[in-house]
Amino acid sequence: MRKFLYRTIAGILLLLALVGVFLPLLPTVPFVLLAVFFLVRSSKRDLVRLKKIPYVGKILYPYIKRVAKWNTQQPSSST
């Protein structure tokens, strides 16, 4: 249920960003960043898809890594 909700919110935000490209009073970048935030929260598969987009992936991936806080290293257990 949560994944569907996050993807729906991200889709709406991307549509608003697309409208913002043509309307000068509507900002585009904040909507795109929020959409990326919700897509990252929805699933790792969406994160990989965003990374594979040729130009956008290279620009957004450092931001995505910071927001998602994906830690690939397993925490060491010190006992």
Side-chain angles (χ1 to χ4, degrees), residues 2-79:
R2 181 182 288 174
K3 289 181 183 183
F4 178 74
L5 180 65
Y6 284 164
R7 284 184 183 164
T8 304
I9 292 171
I12 292 169
L13 289 170
L14 283 175
L15 285 174
L16 286 172
L18 184 66
V19 170
V21 169
F22 299 106
L23 293 178
L25 295 177
L26 195 62
T28 302
V29 175
F31 289 130
V32 172
L33 292 177
L34 281 171
V36 167
F37 174 78
F38 282 110
L39 282 176
V40 167
R41 297 288 180 200
S42 67
S43 70
K44 287 185 179 181
R45 184 179 69 187
D46 293 336
L47 175 66
V48 171
R49 285 182 184 171
L50 281 173
K51 186 179 176 184
K52 288 183 180 180
I53 298 173
Y55 298 108
V56 179
K58 290 179 183 178
I59 295 169
L60 289 179
Y61 191 68
Y63 173 77
I64 292 169
K65 279 178 53 177
R66 217 176 1 181
V67 169
K69 296 181 184 174
W70 296 98
N71 189 1
T72 57
Q73 299 175 354
Q74 295 294 327
S76 61
S77 60
S78 59
T79 55

